[in-house]
Amino acid sequence: VQLQAYGGGLVQAGGSLRLSCTASGRTFDRYAMGWFRQAPGKEREFVAGINWSGRSTYYADSVKGRFTISRDNAKNTNYLEMNSLKPEDTAVYYCAATYSTYVPLSGYDYWGQGTLVTVSS
């Protein structure tokens, strides 16, 4: 599975961005998809995940209620809608995939190249 993440950019605090991740190479609808982020000087952390059907999602406490993950299996794409952005959301965001029917918090097998999100105060 090859993953291409895009949609990052510079936004003011309180603003919104939508990240997209397009997959190719395998049957997309058999993979759970996740988003992770890594801020400067910090370890990479789980942000949100969605199972293969889209019926099950999971969020880190830090983004719950502000971020929404979704997927369109017909387009081999999943999305991370980010609202009410805060400066502490600044990070490189990575999409990831793994063959699973549930939403893992770790152990993803395939990774995209990352897209930078910068939230100014």
Side-chain angles (χ1 to χ4, degrees), residues 57-74:
T57 58
Y58 193 84
Y59 298 91
D61 288 342
S62 59
V63 306
K64 203 172 293 182
R66 299 187 298 122
F67 290 12
T68 301
I69 189 171
S70 61
R71 67 190 295 162
D72 184 340
N73 287 345

Side-chain angles (χ1 to χ4, degrees), residues 81-101:
E81 187 76 36
M82 305 185 295
N83 298 314
S84 302
L85 282 161
K86 305 174 182 180
E88 50 264 43
D89 293 318
T90 295
V92 176
Y93 284 72
Y94 299 90
C95 67
T98 191
Y99 191 83
S100 174
T101 57

Side-chain angles (χ1 to χ4, degrees), residues 35-117:
W35 286 93
F36 292 74
R37 67 187 181 186
Q38 186 166 19
K42 295 187 177 181
E43 293 187 354
R44 186 168 60 190
E45 62 175 357
F46 174 86
V47 175
I50 188 167
N51 78 329
W52 67 274
S53 68
R55 295 191 187 99
S56 179
T57 58
Y58 193 84
Y59 298 91
D61 288 342
S62 59
V63 306
K64 203 172 293 182
R66 299 187 298 122
F67 290 12
T68 301
I69 189 171
S70 61
R71 67 190 295 162
D72 184 340
N73 287 345
K75 296 182 178 179
N76 282 8
T77 302
N78 82 92
Y79 308 95
L80 184 67
E81 187 76 36
M82 305 185 295
N83 298 314
S84 302
L85 282 161
K86 305 174 182 180
E88 50 264 43
D89 293 318
T90 295
V92 176
Y93 284 72
Y94 299 90
C95 67
T98 191
Y99 191 83
S100 174
T101 57
Y102 63 98
V103 183
L105 303 186
S106 62
Y108 284 72
D109 300 305
Y110 306 96
W111 294 84
Q113 83 289 1
T115 184
L116 176 63
V117 172

